[in-house]
Amino acid sequence: MTSSGEHHGERHEEQHAGGRPTEAYDSGGSGSSGVRAQLHHRVPDLGALELLLAVARHGSLGAAAREVGITQPAASSRIRSMERQLGVALVDRSPRGSRLTDAGALVTDWARRIVEAAEAFDAGAQALRGRRDSRLRVAASMTIAEYLLPGWLIALRAERPDTAVSLQAGNSAVVAERLLANEADMGFVEGLAVPDGLDGVVVAHDRLVIVAAPSHPWARRRGPLDPAELAATPLVLRERGSGTRQVLDAALSRHGGLARPLLELASTTAVKAAAVSGAGPAVLSELAIAEELASRRLVAIPVEGVELRRDLRAVWPTGHRPTGPARDLLSLTRARPAG
């Protein structure tokens, strides 16, 4: 009987000098051990194998070179390199053409199986990409969903007409939750920073504006608001977790913080409607109020001493940069910036 460590070819663990185990196996029954060589150092690459198959088909190195799209000297060099790698002669060259050696014919049979397996692998990968590319799930905070994404998605449809796009709108916190739960492929948020667990890039800029109905006393004032006065006034606001609320909270934190909201609403459209109706002053993205300002249904109220600009970001789970339709959508946002 032999001990368990003496079986021919059996894998075991050795220790490097640094103490880290590495896989090894017994070599050829000699009793000595060596670290296993990586496969790609011992097997020719697919391009070389395809060239060898072309030589077998045409009986000519020149014709084989033309088929694979390289020069004849480059083809000769690649065959010689493969012969050195394998340690056997593969092709006999003569003025009448190129002929496979016996070893070359055997290697060609093996090469054909490898290339066929690679083609099957590629077909499977294409099928996976096709399934991935057939849909795109986008989650976006309200302002971006209402005022920027429609244009971006129209442009994406022109590039990818077969991709079905679904859009989920919510505040920035909800967008982060959906991405982390794998319920969306790409997200857009309006907050002060990239949410935890996500990576992102700025795709546009925005500014928050204090607005009120023309009948409100602020609409008739001659000078800008003081930050403390703004902070102390009950406003019509978005809910906590929204990017708008995050920016406003941060801007007024040094001025006593926000007063208790007059109304707290879950969408930009609802906040705007309340302000137009005269319910009270509101804070809205300048992207959302252009029409109302032009028609004088709302009046912009200047304020000094607070920073109300913000970055709009595309976001995705950390370490998973967008691919396929999500990558194309990201490119479109960079090519067609807003703000």
Side-chain angles (χ1 to χ4, degrees), residues 227-232 248-260:
E229 182 181 1
L230 176 62
L248 193 59
D249 279 336
L252 297 179
S253 62
R254 293 179 297 172
H255 305 282
L258 280 169
R260 183 176 179 177

Side-chain angles (χ1 to χ4, degrees), residues 204-277:
H205 303 281
D206 186 26
R207 184 171 65 93
L208 299 182
V209 181
I210 316 304
V211 294
S215 59
H216 193 276
W218 282 1
R220 295 187 294 275
R221 60 184 295 146
R222 295 181 180 275
L225 284 172
D226 177 82
E229 182 181 1
L230 176 62
T233 302
L235 302 171
V236 180
L237 296 174
R238 285 288 307 279
E239 79 286 4
R240 291 189 180 276
S242 71
T244 299
R245 186 70 172 269
Q246 289 175 23
V247 172
L248 193 59
D249 279 336
L252 297 179
S253 62
R254 293 179 297 172
H255 305 282
L258 280 169
R260 183 176 179 177
L262 180 67
L263 291 171
E264 196 170 50
L265 303 172
S267 76
T268 300
T269 301
V271 172
K272 183 164 58 174
V276 168
S277 73

